[in-house]
Amino acid sequence: DTEVTQTPKHLVMGMTNKKSLKCEQHMGHRAMYWYKQKAKKPPELMFVYSYEKLSINESVPSRFSPECPNSSLLNLHLHALQPEDSALYLCASSHSDSLNEQFFGPGTRLTVL
Amino acid sequence: GIQVEQSPPDLILQEGANSTLRCNFSDSVNNLQWFHQNPWGQLINLFYIPSGTKQNGRLSATTVATERYSLLYISSSQTTDSGVYFCAVEGDTGRRALTFGSGTRLQVQP
């Protein structure tokens, strides 16, 4: 099973709201990733978790807060977002340092009003 | 960081035609993947190919790591092949992150 799931599929939120995006994989992968994709652009890396520890933060604003509660789950907590944060948020996972093919979830399409 | 360039940026084909998409990268890589992004945004894995040649049905890919390029071949194209094709690489610096090219937008017309 090479499936990464993400919820919700769509999210509309106001600038004062707090919401969370969820990502789950059951492939036994130990690395998980958040990417952000604006329209007609390629995905851009936000965060990398390796063995449940944050290993890369691409200078993402603090209004985005990642969390990895266990090896199967990855959350992205959102607070006080701006309209320019509207985008497709993609989660991915890979096996480990020695086998690093990444598999992507279907994404959450976020609109900030 | 590593640079990734894809060409052509846009491609229009008639159904049944063949095509070659190119990915150039600026440094040695541990990982190179080709993806197809469908209209709903899902990134579908096509190939994991840091070196060598692979084939899967009408698609094949070749990576020449020493010359820092990869090619994706699509034969007998179908309308369902339409979408954006991304090449993504991970450099051999130990940093676990994919850098994506700008993509090739393919439209296959019936």
Side-chain angles (χ1 to χ4, degrees):
Chain A
D1 184 8
T2 56
E3 188 177 358
V4 178
T5 60
Q6 290 187 243
T7 54
K9 286 186 169 53
H10 300 273
L11 178 62
V12 179
M13 59 186 291
M15 290 188 284
T16 58
N17 292 156
K18 286 185 182 180
K19 297 286 185 183
S20 296
L21 310 185
K22 180 179 174 182
C23 173
E24 194 163 6
Q25 56 87 15
H26 294 287
M27 296 179 277
H29 289 177
R30 303 309 300 271
M32 296 186 77
Y33 311 79
W34 281 115
Y35 291 83
K36 173 182 177 179
Q37 186 178 21
K38 301 283 279 184
K40 299 191 185 299
K41 296 287 189 182
E44 293 181 339
L45 182 71
M46 300 175 71
F47 302 104
V48 180
Y49 273 83
S50 180
Y51 293 88
E52 297 151 54
K53 289 187 176 6
L54 183 65
S55 60
I56 297 177
N57 176 344
E58 290 288 88
S59 302
V60 178
S62 60
R63 58 185 183 269
F64 295 91
S65 175
E67 178 197 20
C68 190
N70 60 57
S71 60
S72 300
L73 277 176
L74 185 66
N75 298 321
L76 186 62
H77 303 297
L78 314 172
H79 172 55
L81 294 193
Q82 304 297 309
E84 59 264 29
D85 296 321
S86 299
L88 180 67
Y89 288 84
L90 294 161
C91 173
S93 69
S94 64
H95 185 271
S96 68
D97 287 351
S98 61
L99 187 59
N100 52 356
E101 182 180 7
Q102 291 191 26
F103 295 88
F104 282 77
T108 294
R109 200 165 292 278
L110 173 68
T111 302
V112 182
L113 301 177
Chain B
I2 195 165
Q3 304 298 311
V4 185
E5 291 183 359
Q6 289 186 245
S7 59
D10 296 281
L11 188 57
I12 300 175
L13 298 175
Q14 291 300 119
E15 205 167 19
N18 303 329
S19 61
T20 301
L21 282 55
R22 187 177 179 101
C23 172
N24 292 334
F25 45 94
S26 60
D27 213 337
S28 302
V29 298
N30 279 335
N31 176 8
L32 188 147
Q33 292 183 246
W34 282 97
F35 297 95
H36 176 211
Q37 189 164 42
N38 66 22
W40 298 271
Q42 173 83 58
L43 279 167
I44 299 162
N45 287 43
L46 298 178
F47 295 102
Y48 171 71
I49 188 165
S51 64
T53 297
K54 291 186 177 179
Q55 181 156 7
N56 184 3
R58 295 182 296 104
L59 302 181
S60 63
T62 294
T63 298
V64 183
T66 53
E67 297 187 23
R68 298 183 183 165
Y69 73 88
S70 183
L71 302 174
L72 177 69
Y73 305 98
I74 304 174
S75 64
S76 304
S77 57
Q78 301 174 357
T79 56
T80 51
D81 294 332
S82 297
V84 183
Y85 290 80
F86 286 108
C87 167
V89 305
E90 179 186 305
D92 66 356
T93 60
R95 185 172 179 272
R96 294 251 154 264
L98 283 177
T99 299
F100 282 75
S102 298
T104 292
R105 189 171 299 272
L106 174 64
Q107 183 179 347
V108 181
Q109 297 178 336

